[in-house]
Amino acid sequence: MNVEVVAVGTELLLGQIVDTNSSWIGEQLALVGLNSHFQTKVGDNLGRIVDTLSRALERSDAVIVCGGLGPTQDDLTREALAELAGEQLDEDETMIDTITAMFGERGRRMPMNNLNQARKPASAEFIPVQPGTAPGLVLPLQKGVVYAVPGVPWEMKEMLSGYVLSDLSRRSGDPAAIASRTLRTWGESESGLDELLAPRMAELDQLGNPTLAFLASGVEGLKVRITAKAADTATATSIVDDEADRLRTLLGPLVFGTDHDNMESAVLAMLEARGHTLGVAESLTGGLLGSRLASVPGASAVFRGGIVAYHPEVKQQLLDVPVGPVVTETVALAMARGACARLGTEVGLATTGVAGPDALEGHSPGTVCMAAVWPGGEAAITLKLPGGRQQVREFACISVLDLLRRRLMTDDA
Amino acid sequence: MNVEVVAVGTELLLGQIVDTNSSWIGEQLALVGLNSHFQTKVGDNLGRIVDTLSRALERSDAVIVCGGLGPTQDDLTREALAELAGEQLDEDETMIDTITAMFGERGRRMPMNNLNQARKPASAEFIPVQPGTAPGLVLPLQKGVVYAVPGVPWEMKEMLSGYVLSDLSRRSGDPAAIASRTLRTWGESESGLDELLAPRMAELDQLGNPTLAFLASGVEGLKVRITAKAADTATATSIVDDEADRLRTLLGPLVFGTDHDNMESAVLAMLEARGHTLGVAESLTGGLLGSRLASVPGASAVFRGGIVAYHPEVKQQLLDVPVGPVVTETVALAMARGACARLGTEVGLATTGVAGPDALEGHSPGTVCMAAVWPGGEAAITLKLPGGRQQVREFACISVLDLLRRRLMTDDA
């Protein structure tokens, strides 16, 4: 089954927004084993949207059209579907109630043009997952099926994951089941991983199933994705399980988690298993470390809080850091200890350094001192991290978490 | 003149790489006043590349095809151009020398397959700017012109800026210059803005120049983009300036900045102008507010730090919040005052609430209490914010910053 993606929006053509939606959809389609041969961006022009969709339906079995479902005059995807179906757009009373209720819940006045979003061609159905005020549409046509989803990424993703992908799989009737798992790694380059896994990859090239793929993900580390195909899901999953065990043995402590784990969730889980609580003290990361920890559901069982000591006086007054230079491992350790003391935790992490663009205390941007303290130990490192201001801060967060993770693993061994 | 962009590469369809090249090219085309109605991504398949290019040439005057110029077997753009021209690919002796010399200069062995890059159809010319080993091609056809450039972003950009864009302008014969400006707004829905600006948009529809576009940017608010065309850049800029002034009058305090401003930088600039320093106290945002403030270059002149009081005990011990429920405006105000006291600042901001997925103290996820205190005033609000855990936290950050911004503007008035 071939599925094509059409992204609607003049702002995409003008480069005001990078179309990350199509990339994400392409990745999801590949994961469920659906082919995707074309992706098109088209502006807010009814004739051109209809042309693009017609052309896509000629050569593919299904089309996902993303964007143009807002309430304003330049939101034309509904009109395009009506033209494809040869039908008019009619208001749906139930959907009017739904949208009105959504505005009511949020305590906001509903502009009348939002009722546009309740219109649909008779042969289309609303997608039963509706995270925002814009309902999605599914329109079965003689030549194939069109799914219209909003361009707002989180709304689009909820509709795809909650409805469109499974509906496509159902329609495709492909008896092959696919299972995949991603091992998350940190601390080795792509070529380094390639060397470690080369013998196993040569074996898998012979076998043909499962397959491995590397995915360089910047500050998220390197992902190793295992994909297996089999007659049923249980068999595919079992192949993936076996391969994951084998690769974990080969990669050792480089692997910090699987699939939706991230470094924060991995470290929080290790601490929760030990019954420890965590506090952080941040200078150049400015709250990013705490924010990443707090973004893990259930973080509150472990993470008590943090001190963002951006100004040197705050380091001294709240974290008992001595007056003097701040880009040192000694300061990082004092901050981590100060976090434990102030926040009443057993474990403390700290970052201090130079995010840039200017140098500080003679250190170039990217110089970061990090420290971890835990019952029975403490550690500090200085790294020279690559990239701009934001990237340095993100690398600093994952690096200090990995510092703690590795040391706790060593303590266990 | 209409120019279409085609990006070649199976990795783009699979979402392994986000196609930022097309967005960048789209932006450059708009800046020189060239229209761009379609952008297509196609995989490494000769038939589909030829189909896509043929279709693009039917409806546009020029096509920029990006990628597929490497030395390996899956680099098929040269073959596609040969098929479009109805010609064979011939090796060009001069280009063989050029590529061989490039490898020599870098002290690297040249794999023989790099000679593939010296092949071209007879009626195509090499693009005279060649930053890497992959030469670009320009192929004039009866129906239009095709430019083939590499997919490596820096090589593509040098070829576009150094040759393709000026060659296109020369061919189009259009002397028009373009200027644009984006007004950043917060606090009104897209349809609400549409209502406020409807009369002016009707006038502009008559005039035809400048044009307005709305860009919903989620937690970044709504952008209103003004674009003007004129005989020269100075005139276009002056048209944009006048329109921006007019829209600011219509939109009032909804506008918080222009172009590269964001809410953080806007608030920091207001506080710096007043000589005030800022501290934050965060519960559900977990450090995100501090992190966003710290991401503004030069933030340290205003932003002193924050207290991430994730656990209720930390709120009590570090921020003097009374024991009791934490999702209240009273607690938010106490936290903001506590931030000022602990961090030694004149201005304090605070967030507390329910990020989800579970309810807390009987409040559903998305319920957020926010407070701001400043010399001469304080304010608190409770909002019900949409979306998942991360989005609620991002909305909370921009909302509390906007609360302070609006109140400071009112104080000024």
Side-chain angles (χ1 to χ4, degrees):
Chain A
M1 190 174 189
N2 285 324
V3 185
E4 212 162 300
V5 181
V6 174
V8 176
T10 301
E11 69 277 13
L12 302 172
L13 295 175
L14 295 176
Q16 295 168 347
I17 295 186
V18 174
D19 171 31
T20 54
N21 283 347
S22 298
S23 305
W24 187 86
I25 295 173
E27 191 177 13
Q28 304 309 307
L29 292 172
L31 279 174
V32 295
L34 295 167
N35 293 318
S36 184
H37 289 161
F38 300 93
Q39 293 185 348
T40 310
K41 286 180 256 185
V42 59
D44 301 311
N45 173 288
L46 184 58
R48 289 196 282 271
I49 298 170
V50 171
D51 278 357
T52 302
L53 292 176
S54 305
R55 171 77 171 160
L57 283 163
E58 281 167 25
R59 61 190 179 189
S60 298
D61 306 301
V63 178
I64 299 171
V65 51
C66 194
L69 289 180
T72 62
Q73 286 174 18
D74 62 358
D75 289 302
L76 297 167
T77 298
R78 278 179 298 271
E79 276 73 7
L81 295 195
E83 201 162 320
L84 285 174
E87 296 169 9
Q88 295 214 310
L89 285 175
D90 298 315
E91 279 189 6
D92 182 278
E93 293 298 325
T94 314
M95 186 52 71
I96 289 176
D97 294 345
T98 304
I99 296 174
T100 309
M102 280 184 170
F103 273 88
E105 274 169 27
R106 292 174 198 177
R108 292 176 81 163
R109 181 184 64 88
M110 182 178 76
M112 287 313 287
N113 57 10
N114 273 85
L115 296 182
N116 276 331
Q117 297 183 308
R119 299 194 305 153
K120 69 171 185 66
S123 60
E125 297 292 331
F126 291 116
I127 288 178
V129 175
Q130 187 181 346
T133 55
L137 291 167
V138 49
L139 175 67
L141 293 163
Q142 217 169 2
K143 268 292 294 170
V145 57
V146 182
Y147 301 88
V149 299
V152 179
W154 72 274
E155 296 184 22
M156 177 280 289
K157 288 179 185 178
E158 289 199 21
M159 279 192 200
L160 263 284
S161 303
Y163 179 77
V164 177
L165 291 169
S166 54
D167 195 58
L168 277 168
S169 287
R170 191 180 56 72
R171 285 175 198 268
S172 80
D174 183 356
I178 301 255
S180 75
R181 179 147 324 138
T182 301
L183 298 183
R184 305 285 313 267
T185 78
W186 184 258
E188 188 53 90
S189 67
E190 190 166 354
S191 46
L193 279 190
D194 197 51
E195 275 182 15
L196 283 169
L197 297 182
R200 180 58 187 160
M201 289 179 81
E203 286 173 20
L204 290 178
D205 275 350
Q206 296 292 317
L207 292 169
N209 191 40
T211 57
L212 297 190
F214 293 154
L215 193 57
S217 307
V219 293
E220 300 297 320
L222 275 156
K223 298 173 182 170
V224 182
R225 177 136 87 199
I226 309 161
T227 307
K229 219 167 184 170
D232 57 80
T233 305
T235 312
T237 305
S238 145
I239 295 171
V240 160
D241 285 343
D242 291 349
E243 191 61 30
D245 288 346
R246 192 188 300 260
L247 297 187
R248 277 179 173 278
T249 308
L250 294 170
L251 296 174
L254 293 173
V255 178
F256 64 79
T258 53
D259 294 333
H260 298 298
D261 293 342
N262 56 26
M263 187 63 85
E264 302 85 275
S265 66
V267 167
L268 287 172
M270 286 177 94
L271 294 179
E272 188 163 13
R274 284 164 173 75
H276 291 162
T277 57
L278 172 66
V280 302
E282 308 186 53
S283 179
L284 91 156
T285 51
L288 187 62
L289 178 57
S291 160
R292 289 181 66 147
L293 288 162
S295 73
V296 179
S300 57
V302 172
F303 177 58
R304 281 174 63 93
I307 310 268
V308 178
Y310 208 61
H311 196 285
E313 283 174 16
V314 177
K315 292 182 184 69
Q316 294 149 24
Q317 288 158 16
L318 284 183
L319 294 166
D320 300 318
V321 169
V323 177
V326 295
V327 188
T328 70
E329 292 184 10
T330 310
V331 166
L333 279 166
M335 288 172 69
R337 287 187 215 112
C340 291
R342 281 288 177 172
L343 300 159
T345 61
E346 293 87 29
V347 179
L349 294 174
T351 60
T352 179
V354 194
D358 301 320
L360 181 66
E361 299 175 1
H363 301 288
S364 59
T367 309
V368 183
C369 302
M370 287 161 261
V373 303
W374 65 96
E378 58 180 43
I381 49 168
T382 303
L383 295 178
K384 178 74 182 67
L385 300 170
R389 192 172 168 90
Q390 183 61 18
Q391 191 180 314
V392 164
R393 291 154 28 116
E394 291 189 348
F395 270 121
C397 289
I398 194 163
S399 298
V400 72
L401 288 164
D402 195 53
L403 171 67
L404 176 63
R405 182 183 73 91
R406 297 282 191 122
R407 295 301 295 260
L408 292 178
M409 287 179 82
T410 310
D411 284 2
D412 287 348
Chain B
M1 188 174 190
N2 285 325
V3 185
E4 215 163 299
V5 181
V6 174
V8 176
T10 301
E11 70 278 11
L12 302 172
L13 295 176
L14 295 176
Q16 293 168 348
I17 296 185
V18 174
D19 171 31
T20 53
N21 283 347
S22 299
S23 305
W24 187 85
I25 296 173
E27 192 174 14
Q28 303 311 307
L29 292 172
L31 282 173
V32 296
L34 295 167
N35 293 319
S36 184
H37 290 162
F38 300 93
Q39 294 185 349
T40 311
K41 286 181 255 185
V42 59
D44 300 310
N45 173 289
L46 184 58
R48 289 196 283 270
I49 298 170
V50 171
D51 277 357
T52 303
L53 293 175
S54 304
R55 172 78 172 162
L57 284 164
E58 280 167 25
R59 62 192 178 189
S60 298
D61 306 302
V63 178
I64 299 171
V65 51
C66 194
L69 289 180
T72 62
Q73 285 175 18
D74 62 356
D75 287 302
L76 297 166
T77 299
R78 279 179 298 271
E79 276 73 8
L81 295 196
E83 202 164 319
L84 285 174
E87 296 170 9
Q88 295 214 308
L89 285 174
D90 298 316
E91 279 190 5
D92 182 279
E93 293 298 326
T94 313
M95 186 52 71
I96 289 176
D97 293 346
T98 304
I99 296 173
T100 309
M102 279 185 171
F103 273 89
E105 275 168 26
R106 294 174 198 178
R108 295 175 74 170
R109 183 184 63 86
M110 182 177 77
M112 286 313 288
N113 60 9
N114 273 85
L115 296 182
N116 276 332
Q117 298 182 308
R119 299 195 304 154
K120 69 172 186 65
S123 60
E125 297 292 330
F126 290 114
I127 288 178
V129 175
Q130 186 180 348
T133 56
L137 290 167
V138 49
L139 175 68
L141 293 163
Q142 218 168 1
K143 266 292 295 169
V145 57
V146 182
Y147 301 87
V149 298
V152 178
W154 71 273
E155 296 184 23
M156 177 280 289
K157 288 178 185 178
E158 288 200 21
M159 279 192 200
L160 263 284
S161 304
Y163 178 77
V164 177
L165 290 169
S166 53
D167 195 57
L168 278 168
S169 286
R170 191 180 55 73
R171 285 175 199 267
S172 80
D174 182 0
I178 299 263
S180 76
R181 178 147 327 136
T182 301
L183 298 183
R184 305 285 312 266
T185 78
W186 184 257
E188 188 52 271
S189 65
E190 186 168 356
S191 42
L193 279 190
D194 197 51
E195 279 183 7
L196 281 168
L197 297 182
R200 179 57 186 161
M201 289 179 81
E203 285 173 21
L204 291 178
D205 275 349
Q206 295 294 317
L207 293 168
N209 190 39
T211 56
L212 298 190
F214 293 154
L215 191 56
S217 308
V219 294
E220 300 298 320
L222 276 155
K223 297 174 183 171
V224 181
R225 170 116 152 187
I226 309 160
T227 306
K229 217 167 185 174
D232 56 80
T233 305
T235 312
T237 304
S238 144
I239 295 171
V240 160
D241 285 343
D242 291 349
E243 191 61 30
D245 288 346
R246 191 188 300 258
L247 297 187
R248 278 179 173 277
T249 309
L250 293 171
L251 296 174
L254 293 173
V255 178
F256 65 79
T258 52
D259 294 333
H260 297 297
D261 293 340
N262 57 25
M263 186 63 85
E264 301 87 275
S265 66
V267 168
L268 287 172
M270 286 177 94
L271 294 179
E272 188 163 11
R274 284 163 173 75
H276 290 162
T277 57
L278 173 65
V280 301
E282 306 186 53
S283 180
L284 90 157
T285 51
L288 187 62
L289 178 57
S291 160
R292 289 181 66 148
L293 288 162
S295 72
V296 179
S300 57
V302 172
F303 177 58
R304 280 173 64 91
I307 311 269
V308 179
Y310 208 61
H311 195 285
E313 283 174 17
V314 176
K315 292 183 183 71
Q316 295 150 22
Q317 287 160 15
L318 284 183
L319 294 166
D320 300 316
V321 170
V323 177
V326 295
V327 188
T328 71
E329 293 183 8
T330 311
V331 166
L333 279 166
M335 288 172 69
R337 286 186 215 112
C340 292
R342 281 289 179 171
L343 300 160
T345 62
E346 292 87 28
V347 179
L349 294 174
T351 60
T352 179
V354 194
D358 301 321
L360 181 66
E361 299 173 1
H363 302 287
S364 58
T367 309
V368 183
C369 301
M370 288 161 259
V373 304
W374 64 95
E378 58 180 41
I381 48 168
T382 304
L383 295 179
K384 176 75 180 66
L385 301 170
R389 193 172 167 89
Q390 182 60 18
Q391 192 181 315
V392 164
R393 299 159 71 227
E394 290 189 351
F395 270 121
C397 289
I398 194 163
S399 299
V400 72
L401 288 165
D402 194 53
L403 172 67
L404 175 63
R405 183 183 72 90
R406 297 281 193 122
R407 295 302 296 260
L408 292 178
M409 288 179 80
T410 310
D411 284 2
D412 287 348

